[in-house]
Amino acid sequence: MRKLFAIISVCCIICIGNSFVFVSSKKPTPLAFTIPKGWPQPVYDFKNNPLTKEGFELGRRLFYDGRLSRDGNFSCASCHQQFAAFSTFDHPLSHGIDNSFTTRNAPALFNLAWQKEFMLDGGINHLDVQPLSPITAPNEMGETLENILVKLRRDALYRKQFVAAFGDTTINTQRIMKALSQFLVMLISADSKYDRVMNGKASFNLPEGLGYDIFKQKCASCHKEPFFTDYTYRNIGLNMDTTIRDYGRMRITRNVEDSLKFRVPSLRNVMVTPPYGHDGRFYTLQNVFEHYRKKTPNGGTTDSLLRKGIPLSNFEIGQLTAFLSTLTDTTFLHNKRFALPTGMTLAPAPDAEMHRK
Amino acid sequence: MTILSLYHRYSSHLLKQLAAIFFLTCVLPVLTVAQKKIAILFVNKAGAETLQPGNSYMNAWGETFTVYKFKYYIHNIRFADSVGQYVTVDKAHHLVDAADASSTVIQVNGLTGKRITSIRFTLGVDSVLNTTGVQTGVLDPLKGMFWTWNTGYIYAKLEGKSNISAMPGNIFSYDVGGYKTGESALREITLPVTTDGNITIVADILKWFDSRNKITIATNAVCHEPGNLAMQLADNYRNMFHTVPVNE
């Protein structure tokens, strides 16, 4: 009798406990990560964060949610817009909270699973910790992690989504970041005309083909295929903007030899990501070519490949431009899986209002 | 009166002797055979004074400063017996925070059948945990002990104000960390243990300024990244600990 009572009471305690920590009986649905043909293995550690449909959808919602910022207006997507390959369209620097500006041009986001270091200076060593930076930066989203936890835990739909993605109701920093990573690593851009040509499914027209040859000769040593970057940090001879005073990679390594070096950006989707350069000083590709064409007087840490400039005739520039256009991946830019989730509205664009001021 | 004082004099002597005999014959064997729980207590001080966030103190260079925050991560607690073999009794990370009394006590298992003669622990965060994404618990980045722009944990933090500081708001702020080769701020601490039960470890913030290196608020009010200054501070604060012997 006593034993029975004990068993019953233990059962009761477990039931009561369960109602607080709701455990999902349904397993999340695994999501396949497909490595494009000919590409190396990704560096992201999927064992530590297995991709699931539910995790991805949660990450997608977080990416578009303005509540990750202090005033509710600055979601990740406010600076990373899909139609601009998740860069900030038409802005040298992006708008942050309280009428602030970022100090760098927001990079496009794709193929992040192959990237070891993040930010233009490589200061961040893991994709999962990257969002901590924009979320807490006073010139980006200006929010605290504590506040975000409060907001998300209060939201019934988020509670449901966290259970679906991770098995129970725990909402913590780690899970938020893992969900965001699940969304971010799925942003694969590998279906441009260039890719289809490489896979034998299309062919370059004459200027594109000539442009590709020039590219391989003059650009590919840094903008290396298939990612169109070798992920190194280099100085292409840009003078420092004295209002920003950005020393690039040196800020992380504190090594003077890294002064004014920035990561080689990918050129995939380059047609939709103007302006260019780490501070967005080049409004057009033509401006970039003009820079490469001239001798770079800025000695010091300027890359040895660029000391004399890259000789480029107007003719070659035309062909290079034709080739670079083949790197636009419209499948990626219009992929509905990466777009604003249905039922969500984007926070009122901070832009329009700010530009009026 | 004389009887009483005589009684006092001899009784205390007698009691002490009895207690010693009792301890040696009965308590000690039991204590050393059973794996007992040991509390490690961190007592944060500034010189001889107990550290109280909000209070002011003076370093060896005559600089007066007010402390607002004093926190540090420790992990991998090991004990050695008289043979000198170190045994890990707690691998976990703990964040000791001068503003949170509950964070200053750590319960661990003692050594089975052996007397502890030395304690060793690591000040900082295991380097692997600096490079593998977001951690949970005391290592959750929301604890404010994490650099978001140059990934890595802040291993120890001493922050406050001082009129001597030329920084905006007269702040002084030492955030020390670094896991990469050539800039590691991880430090091993080894201390003698002379007590049989709980272990009290004093951490003296004045050592941050004056130990292996001379650090003044006037010349170095801020350390916000890994590097030389961080390593100098780490070399100083590795000496900030001492264990308290039995009757101190």
Side-chain angles (χ1 to χ4, degrees):
Chain A
M1 193 57 213
R2 225 193 227 168
K3 236 185 199 165
L4 194 69
F5 181 73
I7 290 168
I8 290 171
S9 50
V10 165
C11 288
C12 283
I13 290 168
I14 290 172
C15 290
I16 294 166
N18 269 354
S19 63
F20 286 110
V21 184
F22 178 75
V23 180
S24 167
S25 47
K26 258 201 303 185
K27 277 229 163 77
T29 325
L31 189 64
F33 183 86
T34 320
I35 301 171
K37 211 174 127 200
W39 286 25
Q41 285 293 319
V43 297
Y44 188 80
D45 181 10
F46 291 101
K47 273 198 259 40
N48 238 326
N49 188 16
L51 291 184
T52 62
K53 205 171 152 294
E54 292 79 0
F56 168 85
E57 286 304 333
L58 172 58
R60 177 180 172 198
R61 181 156 176 237
L62 290 164
F63 187 85
Y64 282 97
D65 196 339
R67 281 179 295 175
L68 263 54
S69 68
R70 194 179 69 243
D71 68 358
N73 287 332
F74 294 86
S75 64
C76 308
S78 73
C79 292
H80 297 288
Q81 302 163 300
Q82 184 178 11
F83 66 90
F86 294 98
S87 70
T88 311
F89 186 71
D90 197 26
H91 281 67
L93 305 172
S94 315
H95 294 279
I97 199 163
D98 299 333
N99 292 310
S100 62
F101 281 101
T102 58
T103 55
R104 289 185 184 146
N105 181 244
L109 305 180
F110 48 74
N111 305 338
L112 294 163
W114 284 269
Q115 215 166 293
K116 282 200 193 79
E117 294 167 335
F118 302 88
M119 310 312 242
L120 306 188
D121 57 19
I124 294 178
N125 68 15
H126 196 289
L127 184 59
D128 290 5
V129 296
Q130 194 286 332
L132 299 170
S133 173
I135 284 173
T136 58
N139 64 335
E140 294 183 60
M141 300 159 87
E143 186 52 298
T144 65
L145 294 166
E146 285 91 339
N147 284 346
I148 288 173
L149 289 177
V150 170
K151 287 187 253 186
L152 299 187
R153 284 170 183 162
R154 228 193 266 139
D155 182 301
L157 183 55
Y158 268 123
R159 288 202 300 271
K160 234 170 92 185
Q161 283 190 283
F162 274 92
V163 173
F166 296 107
D168 64 66
T169 49
T170 305
I171 299 182
N172 61 19
T173 314
Q174 187 185 60
R175 286 187 174 178
I176 295 172
M177 300 307 146
K178 282 189 169 177
L180 275 168
S181 282
Q182 294 204 21
F183 175 71
L184 293 171
V185 293
M186 287 303 286
L187 302 176
I188 297 174
S189 179
D191 195 29
S192 62
K193 177 169 185 187
Y194 159 84
D195 296 296
R196 289 196 300 278
V197 172
M198 292 301 124
N199 292 330
K201 290 187 190 133
S203 47
F204 287 136
N205 63 27
L206 188 61
E208 290 166 354
L210 290 170
Y212 183 39
D213 290 338
I214 299 166
F215 184 85
K216 282 192 286 190
Q217 223 180 36
K218 302 189 172 176
C219 318
S221 50
C222 301
H223 298 283
K224 195 171 157 228
E225 298 167 75
F227 299 107
F228 290 86
T229 163
D230 63 355
Y231 297 112
T232 58
Y233 304 88
R234 298 171 189 254
N235 174 359
I236 60 166
L238 303 183
N239 296 320
M240 189 176 70
D241 179 321
T242 51
T243 62
I244 304 177
R245 307 193 64 77
D246 188 347
Y247 287 95
R249 182 75 178 149
M250 188 174 88
R251 178 169 172 245
I252 302 304
T253 62
R254 294 179 311 284
N255 181 347
V256 288
E257 279 170 26
D258 288 331
S259 176
L260 303 177
K261 290 188 181 173
F262 294 86
R263 193 184 60 225
V264 177
S266 173
L267 298 181
R268 287 181 172 272
N269 300 299
V270 70
M271 286 299 167
V272 300
T273 65
Y276 305 106
H278 64 268
D279 51 13
R281 70 180 68 185
F282 301 120
Y283 273 84
T284 63
L285 276 185
Q286 186 64 35
N287 298 150
V288 179
F289 294 134
E290 292 300 340
H291 168 76
Y292 279 126
R293 261 218 278 215
K294 63 176 199 244
K295 277 201 192 95
T296 47
N298 187 349
T301 61
T302 300
D303 205 280
S304 55
L305 293 171
L306 298 172
R307 293 259 162 85
K308 296 198 180 93
I310 302 177
L312 286 172
S313 67
N314 290 346
F315 189 61
E316 286 175 309
I317 286 178
Q319 290 162 339
L320 266 177
T321 310
F323 169 68
L324 292 176
S325 304
T326 70
L327 296 176
T328 304
D329 178 353
T330 46
T331 320
F332 173 67
L333 299 176
H334 301 297
N335 192 335
K336 290 224 163 52
R337 285 170 88 194
F338 307 143
L340 184 73
T342 38
M344 271 184 101
T345 43
L346 208 52
D351 251 27
E353 192 193 317
M354 283 174 172
H355 286 168
R356 234 177 278 136
K357 282 188 182 149
Chain B
M1 280 322 277
T2 44
I3 294 171
L4 208 65
S5 62
L6 265 179
Y7 170 77
H8 266 300
R9 190 196 255 157
Y10 289 103
S11 76
S12 67
H13 193 70
L14 201 73
L15 271 180
K16 257 190 202 159
Q17 246 169 17
L18 278 176
I21 291 165
F22 177 71
F23 186 78
L24 283 175
T25 57
C26 305
V27 182
L28 195 60
V30 174
L31 275 183
T32 48
V33 169
Q35 192 180 56
K36 58 176 179 176
K37 281 276 175 198
I38 290 182
I40 301 169
L41 177 68
F42 284 89
V43 178
N44 299 307
K45 290 194 168 185
E49 293 172 71
T50 302
L51 183 74
Q52 202 59 261
N55 283 4
S56 297
Y57 307 96
M58 192 193 282
N59 66 21
W61 321 114
E63 299 175 318
T64 305
F65 58 92
T66 308
V67 173
Y68 293 139
K69 284 184 189 159
F70 179 48
K71 304 184 198 187
Y72 45 93
Y73 279 113
I74 71 143
H75 73 278
N76 203 7
I77 300 172
R78 286 145 285 174
F79 286 145
D81 58 15
S82 49
V83 182
Q85 199 88 47
Y86 282 94
V87 176
T88 302
V89 289
D90 185 6
K91 269 198 142 35
H93 283 74
H94 302 273
L95 178 60
V96 181
D97 179 352
D100 173 10
S102 70
S103 75
T104 59
V105 189
I106 298 165
Q107 294 276 355
V108 296
N109 285 328
L111 296 179
T112 315
K114 287 176 192 142
R115 262 188 102 152
I116 299 163
T117 58
S118 170
I119 180 171
R120 180 174 283 178
F121 55 88
T122 308
L123 188 62
V125 176
D126 190 275
S127 58
V128 170
L129 299 176
N130 280 276
T131 58
T132 46
V134 178
Q135 315 299 331
T136 54
V138 294
L139 292 171
D140 191 319
L142 66 73
K143 298 281 178 193
M145 297 289 280
F146 192 81
W147 282 307
T148 59
W149 58 278
N150 184 3
T151 311
Y153 280 95
I154 296 167
Y155 297 166
K157 182 180 258 190
L158 178 66
E159 291 181 2
K161 287 197 177 206
S162 172
N163 286 337
I164 286 123
S165 164
M167 297 305 293
N170 294 128
I171 59 145
F172 80 94
S173 174
Y174 300 141
D175 292 355
V176 178
Y179 67 90
K180 294 177 191 159
T181 23
E183 56 185 43
S184 175
L186 273 183
R187 293 294 181 270
E188 295 267 293
I189 318 290
T190 305
L191 304 168
V193 175
T194 53
T195 49
D196 257 312
N198 299 337
I199 299 169
T200 300
I201 297 175
V202 170
D204 176 6
I205 58 161
L206 296 187
K207 289 286 196 301
W208 284 57
F209 304 94
D210 177 28
S211 182
R212 207 164 127 185
N213 306 294
K214 174 177 178 173
I215 307 277
T216 63
I217 296 172
T219 45
N220 285 307
V222 169
C223 175
H224 278 173
E225 58 182 359
N228 284 339
L229 181 57
M231 288 190 289
Q232 283 178 10
L233 282 162
D235 285 337
N236 277 6
Y237 68 51
R238 83 182 305 176
N239 299 326
M240 75 174 161
F241 298 101
H242 68 265
T243 39
V244 182
V246 192
N247 290 323
E248 194 179 282

